[in-house]
Amino acid sequence: MIEDLSIRPTVRAVIRKGPLVLVQVKQRPDGQRDMSLPGGRQEPGETMQECVARECLEDIGVAPVPLPRDILFVADVFRVSGDKRRQRTERLFRGEVPDDHKPRPGTRPDKRQSATAWADPSESGALFRRRSDLALTCADAPVCLGALRREAS
């Protein structure tokens, strides 16, 4: 039987430079590399905009300016590990950074993060965790994407 856990609210920033998106590059224990949008768990009492700013500082060393207000996409992400199941509701916000921003890790990058980079989601889509590239490359993608990916650990 799978134990149901609470829903974890998360936010992610979609920061573009032309066709490129600012991403975290991560190295898995098995040596595989993947990418994800900067962001993470919303803390109790924190607004979504405060969370985007904090998570971006931690992950990529820069907070989007002005603070993002437009939700681009909403998706449920499920992860099953053994007999536990976790559900995250992810909200993707449009963000901007200064034109001269050089990608670098933030103040508290994820433990598997090896770099921060500009990536083209249409070329490196399969490397995106949770396949957020599908939302980033489809101009008429729906705002609510439903379940993006079910992962097993």
Side-chain angles (χ1 to χ4, degrees):
M1 179 172 172
I2 293 179
E3 174 187 338
D4 285 326
L5 301 177
S6 62
I7 298 172
R8 178 177 156 180
T10 61
V11 297
R12 302 230 172 257
V14 178
I15 301 169
R16 291 187 180 271
K17 183 182 199 177
L20 307 177
V21 178
L22 195 56
V23 298
Q24 297 170 273
V25 180
K26 299 180 180 181
Q27 195 77 30
R28 293 184 187 181
D30 64 6
Q32 277 193 305
R33 190 179 72 140
D34 59 37
M35 292 184 257
S36 65
L37 297 170
R41 178 176 38 196
Q42 184 179 358
E43 300 295 337
E46 186 175 49
T47 68
M48 289 183 277
Q49 287 78 16
E50 290 168 342
C51 183
V52 169
R54 177 184 55 77
E55 286 288 344
C56 284
L57 281 171
E58 291 175 2
D59 293 346
I60 60 171
V62 64
V65 289
L67 284 180
R69 297 201 179 276
D70 297 334
I71 292 180
L72 297 172
F73 306 103
V74 176
D76 288 321
V77 179
F78 296 93
R79 181 174 182 177
V80 177
S81 178
D83 63 347
K84 294 184 180 179
R85 177 179 145 163
R86 180 183 296 167
Q87 178 180 352
R88 286 195 305 255
T89 298
E90 293 201 348
R91 285 89 31 112
L92 279 62
F93 286 87
R94 178 181 341 216
E96 294 179 17
V97 296
D99 290 338
D100 62 349
H101 176 71
K102 304 280 189 243
R104 66 182 186 280
T107 58
R108 293 181 56 205
D110 292 353
K111 57 187 166 198
R112 293 188 305 107
Q113 184 174 339
S114 60
T116 303
W118 291 105
D120 185 340
S122 64
E123 291 179 9
S124 53
L127 293 176
F128 274 81
R129 283 187 50 226
R130 292 175 291 283
R131 295 308 309 264
S132 50
D133 64 298
L134 300 173
L136 300 174
T137 57
C138 182
D140 61 348
V143 172
C144 182
L145 297 173
L148 281 181
R149 179 176 174 180
R150 296 179 189 268
E151 301 174 341
S153 297

